[in-house]
Amino acid sequence: MTDQLQTGPWLAPGEPVDLSNCEREPIHVPGSIQPRGVLLAVSEPDMVVRQVSRNLADVVGVAWDDALGRPLADVVGLAPAEAIARSASAFGDLRERNPVELVLEGDGTPRPVDALLHRATHAADGSTLPGTRATLPVSGQAVTPSASTLVIELESAYGPRPFSFPNTYQAVRGTVAELNRAGSLQALYDITAEAVRGLTGFDRVMVYRYDADYNGEVVAEAKLPELNSFLGLHYPASDIPAQARALYEKNWIRLINDVGYTPSPLEPVDLPATGQPLDLTYSTLRSVSPIHCEYLKNMGVRASMSISLLRGEKLWGLIACHHYSGTHAPPYATRAAAEFLGSTLSLRLVDRAEDEEHRRALRVRSTMAWLTAAALDEERPLSETVLGRPGLLDVVPASSVVVNLQGHTGSAGVPLSPEVAAALARWAGQQADDVVSTEQLPLVAPQLDIPAELVCGVLALPLPEGQYVIWTRGEQVQSVDWGGDPHNKAIAEREGDTVRLSPRKSFDRWRETVRDRADPWTPAELAEAGELRTHLLEALYARSRRVARSALTLQRSLLSEPPSPDHLEVAVRYVPAARDAQVGGDWYDVFEQPDGSTMLVIGDVVGHDTEAAASMGQLRGLTRGIAYDSDDSPAGVLQRLDRAMAGLQLRTMASVLVARLEQTDEEVERGVTRLRWANAGHLPPVVAGPDGQIEVFDGARADLLLGVEPTAQRQDHVRTILRGSTVLLYTDGLVERRDQLFDIGVERLREEFGQVWQAPVGELADQLLARMLPDRADDDVALVAVRLNPQGRPA
């Protein structure tokens, strides 16, 4: 519902109105009034009549064309004009002081009338702003009024007034006391309907409540005994167009004393001060849409009155009054008393709704606080915490809730199969929203093929790494009794040679079964689910950091300091990636064999999480156990690793390079060492000779990753290198970039290695990391640098 009425484009003046275009009917500027009174538009401050209704003489006794351009006192008399001027000059909203009780004597016969005043303020651009003299917004801009028009509506006060307007409260005091004592919403509705009917004398008074789509339901009724009941009937939103609902939000009471009235036009058509039709938003005599009058006639209604029920500034419902036995015009004081009852009911409804919402919000807030505190207990699975009591079903009422948190899946309420839960999680994850909801799953996601009686409403919180929380509600089959078929809103009426659309004539009870709908998720429930998601993310983050810290501590404890034999200088480095609170599967190992050779191992388990780190620890231990004091060559070590992984059901994959530095006595004398290695999908060794010549041993074929094929054949590669050389082993985080190939990264490594090869091996490792990784690494990096001292292994 917008605050601006003219969302246009409006129908042009004189353009026929039917059901195909009634939503564009400019009902706030009809250019005419109902003839139960007369209207005068007076300029200020000179109080000259600028626009009048054609029926002016019926009340004032002066012809409309004689009144234009004359001072108000000349038209209505000096005393009435002075009373109007006094009321108009007072501070504040004129409507709060209506009516001004006058006696007109234009034809010599005293005639009591009620004068109803409001002011139309004109912006500098000539547009009309109904309201007060204050600066008002138009299309989002602040404007300064340049002039104003006083609108005066005069209604004859036939017979004695039922009570003076200041005594309005006294007239309804007893009813207000009853409303204060009402113990339920239904009691509030029933008391109001009976009181308004008793006050106004209408044949039928209904309390009419809107749903979220502005379909209406009659929730209370007071009527003559002989009338059939409308209680419980529903009416489609199209029965009251949007612009009519917008007017109900601004002008809270509207009377049609005779639905068969002939409108009295305003003269001139446009207000001279603006060149535009006079805005009658706040007019009590405003002429109503002919479509609406025809609608009422089709219902057999002769007179009608409606009173707005608001929650805040939004239309919540109406008190609808119908009269069938003839015209009916309750005087202004009676209408004001009825409006006061409507306002009182609105306040009571708001108070009760806010009280119930406050109690519900306190319960949810208490549950959320408990869950947040309980989530800190990291010894208890998070899924178990949120599914306990109190738990997720106390935050959002639902048929069932299913969660997948930190590898644990659980549910509460009506059981859902794992297949249904997985399908809902995939669908929710595809919506790209933090909170995903629908109450019509079979209609919005028919491809899921989930029965509506099982899941019709879904409220889902997609979480990182495929985790989720999903509430579901089953189908709520409803039988809705409509006042006529809501799908057949119009009939064809012939007018001469043309046919136009007219309002429906059938209002017989019409029952419709509504399927494929669940109880809707309320805005409060959606907001609270979003808040819960934030708490869950914080708990997951805190828990993942604790697990990651533990895993990182374990990982670093496994990456022990290498041996330092006299004939070798060894430096090892491990650099974690820039990912916060995560660990990886990179590792290295350097250890001496009983025969004096040195084993070099470097590997990288596929994945970047605690599972990868755990697998890394297992593979490192297996490799060391298989290789130590064994006659197996590096290729044999890898083959035994493959078989061990299969036998122990280690379902992981890893790239591994196993190397051995070995030399005979003769080789010691010659100043050379053999590098024997086998490569399971890993990057090649890089060697800097004693003269600074850099060589990448990439001619040797890299076999399959570990864990791919248990019977894979591995191959040894052997190179003889001079003492004084430096051997470099590394993982892919050192050379891999998102925007470049491995080959480019390895070539850059070769170049940077050539710049630092002479540095002591520890400094060499640090300088190489600084050059290759000026910023933090995208991936974990493990590095082993071994320099062969010139003297070789002691003989």
Side-chain angles (χ1 to χ4, degrees):
M1 193 65 57
T2 81
D3 291 330
Q4 298 293 325
L5 295 182
Q6 191 163 346
T7 55
W10 299 117
L11 297 178
E15 186 173 351
V17 181
D18 60 31
L19 290 188
S20 66
N21 60 15
C22 64
E23 74 280 355
R24 296 191 294 118
E25 181 184 6
I27 58 176
H28 61 301
V29 286
S32 62
I33 63 167
Q34 301 176 54
R36 71 171 188 271
V38 298
L39 182 144
L40 303 92
V42 177
S43 58
E44 294 183 299
D46 56 5
M47 300 297 283
V48 172
V49 177
R50 303 297 182 183
Q51 190 178 33
V52 296
S53 58
R54 275 181 171 259
N55 66 333
L56 183 67
D58 294 345
V59 175
V60 177
V62 177
W64 68 266
D65 47 353
D66 288 340
L68 291 175
R70 296 173 59 187
L72 180 64
D74 291 353
V75 177
V76 300
L78 181 59
E82 288 178 344
I84 290 172
R86 282 194 302 272
S87 182
S89 64
F91 180 78
D93 189 341
L94 299 183
R95 292 174 296 154
E96 295 178 357
R97 292 187 297 279
N98 285 335
V100 180
E101 297 180 358
L102 305 176
V103 176
L104 303 183
E105 298 184 0
D107 57 359
T109 302
R111 176 178 296 184
V113 298
D114 288 332
L116 312 176
L117 312 182
H118 73 273
R119 183 172 280 112
T121 305
H122 317 306
D125 61 1
S127 59
T128 302
L129 302 172
T132 67
R133 297 175 188 261
T135 300
L136 298 174
V138 174
S139 302
Q141 301 296 320
V143 296
T144 301
S146 59
S148 61
T149 295
L150 181 64
V151 179
I152 305 166
E153 297 175 275
L154 303 177
E155 290 187 12
S156 295
Y158 301 105
R161 292 183 172 88
F163 45 81
S164 64
F165 182 71
N167 293 327
T168 298
Y169 175 71
Q170 294 299 325
V172 296
R173 183 177 180 180
T175 302
V176 171
E178 287 189 68
L179 290 174
N180 290 336
R181 292 191 298 268
S184 67
L185 286 177
Q186 190 59 51
L188 286 172
Y189 303 150
D190 293 339
I191 292 169
T192 303
E194 290 289 350
V196 171
R197 180 167 181 265
L199 187 66
T200 62
F202 278 92
D203 293 339
R204 186 198 305 270
V205 173
M206 300 167 286
V207 177
Y208 185 80
R209 181 179 64 191
Y210 289 129
D211 64 16
D213 299 321
Y214 287 106
N215 299 306
E217 178 187 3
V218 179
V219 295
E221 180 182 57
K223 64 180 183 64
L224 292 174
E226 61 268 26
L227 294 176
N228 61 320
S229 176
F230 288 171
L231 185 63
L233 292 185
H234 292 70
Y235 294 85
S238 57
D239 279 7
I240 304 179
Q243 74 270 36
R245 295 195 296 267
L247 282 182
Y248 282 130
E249 292 177 343
K250 295 176 179 294
N251 198 352
W252 298 347
I253 190 164
R254 187 219 57 198
L255 170 67
I256 308 173
N257 68 304
D258 180 2
V259 300
Y261 76 92
T262 300
S264 179
L266 300 183
E267 297 290 351
V269 174
D270 294 331
L271 187 66
T274 65
Q276 300 290 330
L278 180 64
D279 191 317
L280 297 180
T281 295
Y282 294 104
S283 167
T284 189
L285 296 175
R286 175 179 60 84
S287 190
V288 298
S289 169
I291 291 290
H292 182 64
C293 288
E294 188 171 355
Y295 177 93
L296 292 173
K297 289 177 184 177
N298 290 343
M299 294 185 74
V301 175
R302 293 289 305 278
S304 167
M305 188 173 79
S306 60
I307 304 166
S308 302
L309 299 175
L310 303 175
R311 183 172 185 176
E313 296 182 356
K314 186 175 182 179
L315 189 67
W316 173 90
L318 292 173
I319 299 174
C321 309
H322 289 172
H323 209 65
Y324 303 92
S325 54
T327 62
H328 191 60
Y332 182 83
T334 299
R335 303 195 313 260
E339 182 183 11
F340 183 82
L341 281 180
S343 298
T344 303
L345 175 59
S346 294
L347 291 174
R348 295 297 178 270
L349 291 172
V350 170
D351 287 345
R352 184 174 292 273
E354 288 182 348
D355 184 54
E356 292 177 356
E357 175 59 24
H358 181 65
R359 288 198 299 268
R360 188 205 63 80
L362 283 178
R363 290 195 302 269
V364 171
R365 193 64 61 187
S366 175
T367 301
M368 296 265 267
W370 188 92
L371 289 175
T372 301
L376 298 177
D377 180 8
E378 298 180 354
E379 300 303 318
R380 185 183 184 191
L382 187 57
S383 59
E384 182 181 324
T385 297
V386 299
L387 291 174
R389 296 304 302 266
L392 294 177
L393 289 179
D394 298 293
V395 176
V396 177
S399 305
S400 63
V401 61
V402 59
V403 304
N404 184 339
L405 298 169
Q406 293 188 303
H408 298 276
T409 301
S411 64
V414 177
L416 294 179
S417 70
E419 294 76 19
V420 168
L424 293 175
R426 285 193 301 272
W427 171 77
Q430 294 166 359
Q431 307 310 306
D433 289 321
D434 290 344
V435 178
V436 178
S437 68
T438 179
E439 51 259 18
Q440 295 180 287
L441 183 69
L443 300 182
V444 301
Q447 72 277 8
L448 298 182
D449 197 26
I450 298 176
E453 60 270 19
L454 179 62
V455 178
C456 198
V458 177
L459 173 55
L461 305 179
L463 297 166
E465 299 178 355
Q467 301 174 98
Y468 57 79
V469 174
I470 299 174
W471 291 269
T472 68
R473 288 174 177 170
E475 179 185 35
Q476 289 293 324
V477 180
Q478 291 182 313
S479 294
V480 179
D481 289 333
W482 296 91
D485 183 352
H487 308 293
N488 182 22
K489 305 180 185 67
I491 58 173
E493 283 286 336
R494 181 167 294 280
E495 292 186 347
D497 295 330
T498 63
V499 174
R500 72 177 183 87
L501 291 175
S502 300
R504 57 194 173 90
K505 289 184 176 178
S506 174
F507 295 92
D508 292 336
R509 187 180 297 266
W510 190 91
R511 175 161 291 184
E512 178 182 30
T513 300
V514 180
R515 307 192 67 94
D516 293 332
R517 276 185 179 270
D519 289 336
W521 311 101
T522 67
E525 289 169 345
L526 295 176
E528 286 153 358
E531 184 177 348
L532 176 66
R533 183 178 187 274
T534 300
H535 291 314
L536 287 174
L537 287 173
E538 291 173 350
L540 289 170
Y541 179 71
R543 287 172 176 244
S544 65
R545 282 188 64 87
R546 181 185 67 85
V547 172
R549 284 194 300 270
S550 301
L552 191 57
T553 300
L554 174 62
Q555 184 179 35
R556 289 178 174 174
S557 70
L558 293 173
L559 303 179
S560 55
E561 286 297 314
S564 301
D566 292 340
H567 65 293
L568 298 176
E569 293 180 37
V570 182
V572 292
R573 297 289 186 270
Y574 176 78
V575 180
R579 302 179 308 273
D580 290 334
Q582 292 193 34
V583 293
D586 292 25
W587 90 91
Y588 59 78
D589 199 5
V590 180
F591 57 93
E592 289 188 286
Q593 296 280 60
D595 63 2
S597 61
T598 300
M599 297 297 296
L600 310 176
V601 182
I602 196 157
D604 184 0
V605 173
V606 174
H608 300 289
D609 51 26
T610 54
E611 185 176 350
S615 297
M616 175 275 292
Q618 291 175 308
L619 283 180
R620 182 182 183 277
L622 275 174
T623 306
R624 177 174 276 220
I626 290 171
Y628 185 75
D629 198 16
S630 169
D631 293 334
D632 286 324
S633 67
V637 171
L638 289 179
Q639 288 176 182
R640 290 180 63 185
L641 264 176
D642 268 326
R643 293 195 297 272
M645 290 173 66
L648 296 173
Q649 297 185 340
L650 301 182
R651 294 182 176 86
T652 189
M653 293 187 296
S655 68
V656 182
L657 188 148
V658 177
R660 185 163 61 199
L661 292 171
E662 55 190 22
Q663 56 186 171
T664 63
D665 292 343
E666 178 187 355
E667 289 167 333
V668 171
E669 293 295 330
R670 290 168 48 204
V672 297
T673 296
R674 273 174 291 120
L675 175 66
R676 185 186 301 273
W677 79 94
N679 190 346
H682 204 79
L683 293 163
V686 181
V687 176
D691 58 355
Q693 183 71 30
I694 308 298
E695 185 176 1
V696 179
F697 290 176
D698 55 357
R701 180 173 62 85
D703 294 328
L704 292 173
L705 294 173
L706 279 179
V708 174
E709 173 54 59
T711 60
Q713 294 298 307
R714 304 296 180 178
Q715 182 178 359
D716 279 328
H717 309 281
V718 182
R719 293 287 294 270
T720 300
I721 56 179
L722 295 173
R723 308 297 305 180
S725 298
T726 304
V727 178
L728 189 68
L729 306 182
Y730 51 95
T731 56
D732 56 8
L734 188 66
V735 295
E736 182 183 19
R737 300 292 179 272
R738 294 188 181 94
D739 57 350
Q740 70 180 30
L741 300 174
F742 271 121
D743 291 346
I744 297 175
V746 172
E747 178 60 25
R748 182 174 169 225
L749 173 62
R750 190 190 67 78
E751 294 173 358
E752 298 293 351
F753 196 6
Q755 298 296 316
V756 300
W757 69 276
Q758 291 180 301
V761 71
E763 294 180 17
L764 180 150
D766 293 335
Q767 291 182 32
L768 200 55
L769 288 170
R771 286 170 173 266
M772 294 294 293
L773 305 171
D775 301 316
R776 290 195 65 182
D778 294 332
D779 198 357
D780 300 336
V781 176
L783 182 146
V784 176
V786 181
R787 178 162 295 156
L788 287 64
N789 289 334
Q791 72 272 20
R793 175 174 58 84

